[in-house]
Amino acid sequence: MTDKLVIVGGVAGGATAAARARRLNERAQIVLFERGRYISFANCGLPYYIGEIIKKRDDLLVTTAESFTRRYRIDVRETTEVLAIDRETKSVRVKNNETGEEYTESYDKLILSPGAEPIRPPLPGIDAPNVFCLRNIPDTDRIKAWVDDKKPQSAVVIGGGFIGLEMAENLVLRGVKTTIVEKLDQVMAPVDYEMAALIHAHLTEKGVDLIFGDAVKAFIPSGDRLTIRTENERNLECDLAIMSVGVRPETRLAREAGLDLGKTGGIAVDASMRTSDPDIYAVGDAVEVNEFVTGMKTLIPLAGPANKQGRIAADNVMGRSSVFRGTIGTSIVRVFDLAVATTGLSEKLMRKHDIPHVVSYTHSGSHAGYYPGSETLAIKLMFSPGTGKILGAQIVGKDGADKRIDVLATAIRGEMTVFDLEELELAYAPPYGSAKDPVNIAGFVGANLLKNDVENLNWDQLEARDPEREILLDLRTDIEFKTSGSIDGALHIPIDSLRDRLDELDRDKTYIAFCAVGLRGYLGYRILTQNGYKAKNLGGGFRTFLGATENLTL
């Protein structure tokens, strides 16, 4: 059992490791170095404090150095930066950033939790006082002070990831007209395009301007104003800018100490969180870990995995045997009235790596439709074509996305299949769910595909169809067809009239049946095929098609 443990960095990974180590070893000397003033704070709450949803700044502090020391008897040294690691002498060189004092601290075991740093490219004008990044509490204080004091009318958020979306929402809530500039063709890179398109429609509805396929080239300050010049030669005038183009693992200490780095650029660790030096462990945003489903190496800068890794590293340092089995990247973000959630593999990642998969789309009510307030949940499920093992899921909706993504994340960890989803017994009462929960329905649809009870054609395959031989068949009601429009060229026969009008169809052609969300399309497919007609079903129906083409209002 270790006599002296030194931890570099606090927050999710380091502070968790320190607390766990103390619970396992009351006598060990534990020293925690944190270069900032806050050893543990709520990173994910920072945008909401700027937006004044979180009213009190102190609510962002998970714990203080004083309370942490009092409870755990840990030697916490804030505003103290670790400059270098000497593996031969098993010591670190540190500097007190307030006094300038430098000294050496020995260790028996060392845990690195340096985190990740915001990517801040060396663009002209990026050091202007109204160009901000958001990573910690001092960043938050600077942004909030600017918004409070300057009362800006306009802002540009560069990057449409988690922080970018949360900052856009909270700036709008503060009355700031906001534009998002994103180099990709979508926000929220972890989700697939058609799911992100639902977010685009909602952001536009909330007054956020979206610019895709472009990046910032320069910031041109003029007093308290900025002109942002993009690579496509746009000139965007604004009062402040938020840089949110991603993060990179902070690996300088590990690299200079000669520790191995992985393919992704993160610190290489084994399942025990041990680095290439048997006396040094690493956790959190700076480490490269295995993706649970495929075993591929990845970087996952999320608080949940960092907490678990901190606990596992502490276990192993203190003589226990614990392993980290990998991550599935489960995450959720609020975008105004929507929740966007994802877990496991995305379809674009599976296509990139040629991983066989089947996709299903469902649109289910968040709770019983007859109880007031039910909202539609758009669910995309990815699973193996043979076994039906669940590989990934994405959900966009106004209510209940968190509950369902957690069920699906648990199913992935348990290596469950769509057939298992059919049988899950989930809590039901009208205000909370339905007798057939959206997760069950996703399982039913997936199982139907694997049993060959239906053949789907998805929205992105429509363009490649032969319109002379593959005919779109709209099975919605007359009112839906007239008020909502349809897909160009679609034949319209309401589902309840289909059996009586089969003689209007051509047995030499294939009919792509669709309705609003998929159920009537599936029923139409069954009617057609059992009566000798060739058919396919449009996966997810007209709603998925509209969302993917950004014509859906939520």
Side-chain angles (χ1 to χ4, degrees):
M1 190 173 282
T2 298
D3 292 324
K4 185 175 182 181
L5 170 63
V6 169
I7 301 172
V8 180
V11 199
T16 296
R20 176 67 173 171
R22 174 56 75 219
R23 290 194 295 271
L24 296 179
N25 187 342
E26 183 65 19
R27 294 178 177 79
Q29 181 183 358
I30 303 173
V31 181
L32 172 62
F33 291 109
E34 170 55 52
R35 66 184 171 194
R37 289 189 171 277
Y38 307 97
I39 65 162
S40 188
F41 61 91
N43 301 66
C44 301
L46 302 181
Y48 299 103
Y49 173 64
I50 294 167
E52 297 189 333
I53 294 172
I54 296 173
K55 303 293 185 184
K56 298 179 181 178
R57 183 178 181 277
D58 286 352
D59 288 345
L60 297 171
L61 304 179
V62 177
T63 187
T64 64
E66 293 76 15
S67 62
F68 199 68
T69 298
R70 190 164 53 248
R71 175 159 296 180
Y72 293 106
R73 296 297 188 269
I74 287 168
D75 182 357
V76 177
R77 304 183 197 177
E78 291 180 306
T79 67
T80 303
E81 184 174 5
V82 175
L83 303 176
I85 302 167
D86 187 329
R87 292 165 56 191
E88 288 190 9
T89 63
K90 294 182 68 173
S91 65
V92 292
R93 183 164 56 87
V94 299
K95 178 182 179 181
N96 185 313
N97 287 329
E98 288 191 331
T99 66
E101 175 194 5
E102 291 190 20
Y103 58 93
T104 297
E105 189 78 29
S106 65
Y107 65 83
D108 294 321
K109 299 289 184 184
L110 179 67
I111 296 178
L112 302 177
S113 181
E117 59 182 345
I119 296 172
R120 194 175 173 89
L123 300 174
I126 196 169
D127 294 324
N130 49 349
V131 179
F132 302 96
C133 286
L134 178 60
R135 187 63 179 169
N136 52 39
I137 286 184
D139 292 339
T140 308
D141 291 338
R142 285 190 289 270
I143 298 170
K144 190 170 190 302
W146 189 276
V147 175
D148 291 346
D149 298 342
K150 305 290 186 180
K151 298 187 169 39
Q153 298 299 304
S154 59
V156 173
V157 175
I158 299 103
F162 290 92
I163 295 296
L165 291 176
E166 289 170 346
M167 278 305 308
E169 175 185 351
N170 282 280
L171 287 169
V172 169
L173 293 177
R174 293 294 304 271
V176 182
K177 173 64 179 173
T178 302
T179 298
I180 294 175
V181 177
E182 170 57 61
K183 193 166 187 176
L184 300 176
D185 62 352
Q186 66 168 83
V187 299
M188 279 290 287
V191 305
D192 293 314
Y193 177 82
E194 70 276 22
M195 303 303 282
L198 300 174
I199 315 168
H200 301 166
H202 190 59
L203 286 165
T204 301
E205 181 185 320
K206 293 296 183 179
V208 177
D209 291 333
L210 302 174
I211 297 173
F212 294 120
D214 204 353
V216 172
K217 186 165 66 174
F219 299 92
I220 305 168
S222 177
D224 286 342
R225 297 277 291 169
L226 275 175
T227 298
I228 297 177
R229 185 160 296 155
T230 73
E231 291 179 355
N232 292 343
E233 300 304 327
R234 289 184 174 93
N235 289 311
L236 307 174
E237 305 284 340
C238 63
D239 297 312
L240 79 155
I242 307 289
M243 286 293 296
S244 182
V245 295
V247 296
R248 63 167 64 93
E250 290 207 33
T251 59
R252 181 191 62 81
L253 273 177
R255 186 176 63 253
E256 292 179 357
L259 299 178
D260 290 348
L261 302 184
K263 296 178 183 177
T264 64
I267 302 170
V269 293
D270 63 16
S272 71
M273 307 311 300
R274 185 185 286 112
T275 70
S276 53
D277 185 316
D279 294 318
I280 303 177
Y281 293 72
V283 301
D285 296 357
V287 304
E288 177 184 87
V289 293
N290 291 337
E291 193 282 320
F292 178 80
V293 177
T294 64
M296 292 188 297
K297 298 298 183 182
T298 187
L299 297 170
I300 299 289
L302 294 171
N307 272 286
K308 295 171 184 63
Q309 293 160 14
R311 181 182 177 92
I312 287 165
D315 277 0
N316 289 294
V317 162
M318 293 302 169
R320 294 197 176 187
S321 179
S322 293
V323 297
F324 184 68
R325 295 178 57 210
T327 178
I328 55 176
T330 305
S331 57
I332 189 167
V333 62
R334 191 183 82 174
V335 184
F336 293 98
D337 303 328
L338 285 183
V340 185
T342 181
T343 188
L345 305 179
S346 66
E347 186 179 13
K348 57 189 167 190
L349 187 144
M350 286 188 280
R351 285 179 172 175
K352 179 180 177 181
H353 295 283
D354 296 321
I355 298 171
H357 63 280
V358 180
V359 173
S360 72
Y361 299 96
T362 54
H363 299 270
S364 307
S366 56
H367 59 251
Y370 59 82
Y371 188 90
S374 180
E375 298 282 359
T376 299
L377 288 169
I379 300 178
K380 179 176 183 178
L381 190 69
M382 283 74 70
F383 47 94
S384 294
T387 63
K389 187 172 80 168
I390 302 157
L391 304 174
Q394 298 165 21
I395 305 179
V396 178
K398 293 183 178 179
D399 180 53
D402 53 344
K403 169 182 173 180
R404 275 64 183 217
I405 205 70
D406 285 344
V407 172
L408 292 168
T410 303
I412 292 173
R413 293 292 275 188
E415 300 186 343
M416 297 171 70
T417 70
V418 292
F419 306 109
D420 294 317
L421 296 189
E422 290 185 288
E423 298 179 7
L424 284 182
E425 206 170 321
L426 302 173
Y428 160 57
Y432 304 110
S434 300
K436 289 185 284 190
D437 190 85
V439 171
N440 297 133
I441 293 172
F444 296 151
V445 172
N448 285 341
L449 287 166
L450 294 184
K451 293 173 185 174
N452 295 317
D453 287 342
V454 66
E455 180 183 355
N456 272 8
L457 185 81
N458 290 332
W459 69 274
D460 55 347
Q461 298 171 304
L462 279 181
E463 191 175 351
R465 74 184 174 92
D466 179 352
E468 297 298 322
R469 302 186 60 80
E470 296 176 301
I471 310 300
L472 287 160
L473 179 60
D474 189 335
L475 299 172
R476 296 173 301 149
T477 64
D478 290 336
I479 293 175
E480 288 175 285
F481 185 79
K482 290 174 183 176
T483 58
S484 302
S486 188
I487 303 174
D488 288 345
L491 173 66
H492 176 228
I493 301 177
I495 182 67
D496 294 335
S497 304
L498 182 59
R499 290 184 181 87
D500 298 327
R501 296 176 59 180
L502 288 174
D503 58 357
E504 299 177 23
L505 305 181
D506 186 340
R507 292 183 185 276
D508 292 330
K509 296 184 178 180
T510 298
Y511 291 90
I512 301 170
F514 70 93
C515 60
V517 298
L519 174 58
R520 287 170 290 176
Y522 166 61
L523 296 177
Y525 172 90
R526 298 298 300 166
I527 292 169
L528 290 166
T529 54
Q530 292 183 80
N531 281 280
Y533 292 87
K534 293 179 285 188
K536 295 179 182 179
N537 174 53
L538 180 59
F542 191 46
R543 186 178 177 90
T544 295
F545 173 81
L546 287 179
T549 54
E550 300 193 34
N551 291 308
L552 180 66
T553 300
L554 298 173

